Amino acid sequence: MFVVHLYCGNIIYTPACGAVAANEHGIVAVEDGRVKGVFDRIPSAYEGAPVTDYGDKIIIPGFCDIHLHAGQLPNMGIGYDCELIDWIGKYAYQVEQSMNALGFAHRCYAKLISDLWLNGITRSVVLGTYYRQTNDLLFQMFMKSGLSAYIGKSVCDRSPTGVADETTENAKQDLLMLADTYKDQKGLVRHILSPTYVPGCTPEIMEFIGHLAQEYDLPVTSHLCENRTEVQEVHRLHPEAPDYASVYREYGLLGQKTTIMAHCIHTTGHEAELLRDCGVYVAHCPHSNLNLSSGVMPLRKYLNMGIRVGLGSDISAGHTLNMMSTMVAAIQGSKMRWMINPQEESVTTREALYLATKGGGSVFGKVGSFEEGYEFDALVIDDGNLYDFTDRTLWERVERFIFRGDDRNIVARYVSGSEVARPQL
Ligand code: FE
């Protein structure tokens, strides 16, 4: 009786940033949802094991989107003539408020989860809404989907736009309820604490969330140094702090537990060192950063410093869940920085694939690679429609898929060893 399952195809993954491991017509052996190894031919120990043969198709790790807003789905592609604070005031708050209605939220979440599946995003870090009942709904729907997600309630008990979404007391009650409800949830869908950003959170709620992270052993995600006006607002609100990142650190929200900070565009040298020294994951959101004219994150600098980086769609300040498009935007943004500063070498396509898989996947543990012991999250790519009348290497086919492919090229999706069908929600 075999517990090992073999998957055959052209296998490619990125064990380190910039490194590619490739096995043409190779085999991935998977046991109990985890990779046992990648082989050129079937090892004698596994002869007779069940095989799924994907022929000439390409098998890559699943994509990880480590920053997106579930409650913002209806705003994708809207309002990008604004900068961040204006955009939040004119667009984000309106749609967040409409998410208080369960029926509307259900329709939006069903579309979101279906689109994540379609785009091969097997894992995501999802900021929910301010509302108790719709956050609970989001958890339930993800648990039905077969996809993996960390889900957090957005917290905003003060606001530079003048519209605070909740009282501090309500936020505390809702956070406690979620922490208690999902404290034993150790599977694919888990709870994360997600204060929106420092200008949106009182010191009282940040302190509370810091304690909650310790008490319930919860990861944390938020926004950092996205926009210059936002950074100025943090200095005004917290004159005692040397910088924005130090405010989070002071309240136990920067590296005391697994932490993901989105954007990190306008960081000082000290803040970048804090990100590195505290082991914080940076969620690089290149589409969002350009759409709201926030800036171009110093990706090469962070990689050279050894800061952990993954990619985020940041919908709906980002306009697409297409992770290949996000990778391309990360590459192109990096090239823009190189053109302005030739010492800042641009990132490569190999590095971008790493960021979209193992870079962000590390948030979830051993995820995003086909090294032994990693969870088998995988996408099967049929690039037949991209054929260009030329013999291509396996890596060239992957490059072409990243720059030219879309969700139609993704023909199967696996999460932790199980194939995931289109969610019926
Ligand atoms: Fe965001």
Side-chain angles (χ1 to χ4, degrees):
M1 183 68 184
F2 280 100
V3 289
V4 171
H5 195 107
L6 305 175
Y7 296 91
C8 302
N10 295 301
I11 293 149
I12 206 153
Y13 61 100
T14 51
C17 194
V20 166
N23 292 67
E24 279 194 60
H25 303 292
I27 294 135
V28 189
V30 177
E31 183 178 31
D32 291 335
R34 291 190 183 265
V35 174
K36 291 290 288 179
V38 179
F39 308 97
D40 290 332
R41 57 186 65 83
I42 298 176
S44 56
Y46 300 147
E47 271 173 25
V51 175
T52 301
D53 188 353
Y54 284 111
D56 196 40
K57 296 183 178 64
I58 303 168
I59 304 176
I60 64 171
F63 293 140
C64 302
D65 182 339
I66 62 167
H67 185 73
L68 66 96
H69 297 257
Q72 289 291 322
L73 185 85
N75 270 344
M76 286 170 77
I78 308 286
Y80 298 157
D81 292 333
C82 297
E83 285 191 42
L84 177 70
I85 303 295
D86 271 358
W87 184 80
I88 292 171
K90 285 182 186 164
Y91 295 95
Y93 280 121
Q94 322 288 332
V95 78
E96 288 279 348
Q97 280 161 2
S98 61
M99 285 288 165
N100 199 14
L102 267 179
F104 185 67
H106 187 280
R107 285 201 296 279
C108 292
Y109 294 163
K111 168 88 173 128
L112 169 73
I113 293 168
S114 174
D115 283 357
L116 287 169
W117 176 88
L118 201 64
N119 285 286
I121 296 167
T122 48
R123 311 246 170 185
S124 45
V125 176
V126 182
L127 283 81
T129 67
Y130 309 111
Y131 307 110
R132 176 181 293 192
Q133 55 182 1
T134 45
N135 282 319
D136 209 39
L137 177 69
L138 189 58
F139 270 90
Q140 300 303 323
M141 291 177 75
F142 261 106
M143 286 194 272
K144 263 177 81 178
S145 73
L147 298 177
S148 175
Y150 282 4
I151 300 172
K153 165 199 154 42
S154 285
V155 178
C156 182
D157 66 338
R158 75 174 170 191
S159 170
T161 61
V163 192
D165 289 86
E166 57 191 341
T167 64
T168 306
E169 210 39 55
N170 275 350
K172 285 182 182 176
Q173 285 173 16
D174 286 2
L175 286 166
L176 262 178
M177 190 215 71
L178 280 175
D180 277 329
T181 305
Y182 297 103
K183 67 182 177 203
D184 298 322
Q185 186 70 29
K186 302 294 180 205
L188 293 174
V189 181
R190 299 190 188 189
H191 185 203
I192 189 166
L193 295 166
S194 52
T196 47
Y197 61 157
V198 166
C201 294
T202 59
E204 185 180 341
I205 201 69
M206 285 193 283
E207 193 173 350
F208 181 83
I209 295 171
H211 287 307
L212 211 57
Q214 290 302 321
E215 193 182 332
Y216 287 83
D217 192 22
L218 289 170
V220 174
T221 189
S222 191
H223 299 80
L224 175 68
C225 296
E226 178 174 0
N227 167 285
R228 288 199 176 94
T229 309
E230 171 211 16
V231 175
Q232 285 167 8
E233 183 65 6
V234 173
H235 288 310
R236 189 185 70 78
L237 291 164
H238 293 274
E240 78 288 355
D243 48 45
Y244 193 161
S246 297
V247 179
Y248 286 126
R249 183 74 184 159
E250 177 67 23
Y251 290 105
L253 303 172
L254 195 89
Q256 287 89 343
K257 291 289 172 188
T258 298
T259 304
I260 304 131
M261 285 289 162
H263 305 289
C264 303
I265 301 168
H266 305 287
T267 49
T268 63
H270 174 250
E271 286 176 306
E273 284 168 10
L274 263 182
L275 293 175
R276 179 195 60 202
D277 297 345
C278 298
V280 171
Y281 291 89
V282 169
H284 180 32
C285 307
H287 277 314
S288 164
N289 295 348
L290 287 172
N291 287 341
L292 297 185
S293 308
S294 298
V296 184
M297 194 194 83
L299 177 55
R300 172 57 68 204
K301 173 183 155 183
Y302 288 171
L303 294 179
N304 284 353
M305 286 178 67
I307 293 172
R308 297 163 163 176
V309 184
L311 296 181
S313 64
D314 194 24
I315 64 161
S316 64
H319 58 276
T320 179
L321 285 166
N322 180 329
M323 185 55 83
M324 291 83 80
S325 173
T326 304
M327 279 188 256
V328 170
I331 294 163
Q332 291 176 336
S334 176
K335 287 181 178 180
M336 280 184 233
R337 288 191 68 102
W338 171 78
M339 283 182 249
I340 293 163
N341 177 13
Q343 286 160 346
E344 204 170 324
E345 195 183 341
S346 53
V347 300
T348 63
T349 310
R350 289 162 191 247
E351 289 174 309
L353 181 61
Y354 172 87
L355 298 177
T357 54
K358 190 176 176 181
S362 305
V363 165
F364 304 90
K366 285 193 158 186
V367 168
S369 180
F370 294 147
E371 293 157 82
E372 188 178 357
Y374 273 68
E375 293 191 57
F376 185 64
D377 285 20
L379 307 177
V380 180
I381 309 302
D382 181 350
D383 63 342
N385 69 326
L386 303 175
Y387 180 63
D388 57 13
F389 313 102
T390 310
D391 280 340
R392 294 295 181 191
T393 65
L394 177 52
W395 173 247
E396 284 174 332
R397 288 172 61 189
V398 172
E399 277 185 295
R400 187 175 57 188
F401 162 67
I402 291 170
F403 277 86
R404 297 194 51 225
D406 59 36
D407 57 76
R408 291 170 296 181
N409 299 108
I410 303 173
V411 294
R413 297 123 178 108
Y414 290 84
V415 177
S416 200
S418 299
E419 186 171 3
V420 181
R422 182 190 281 270
Q424 300 298 322
L425 300 166

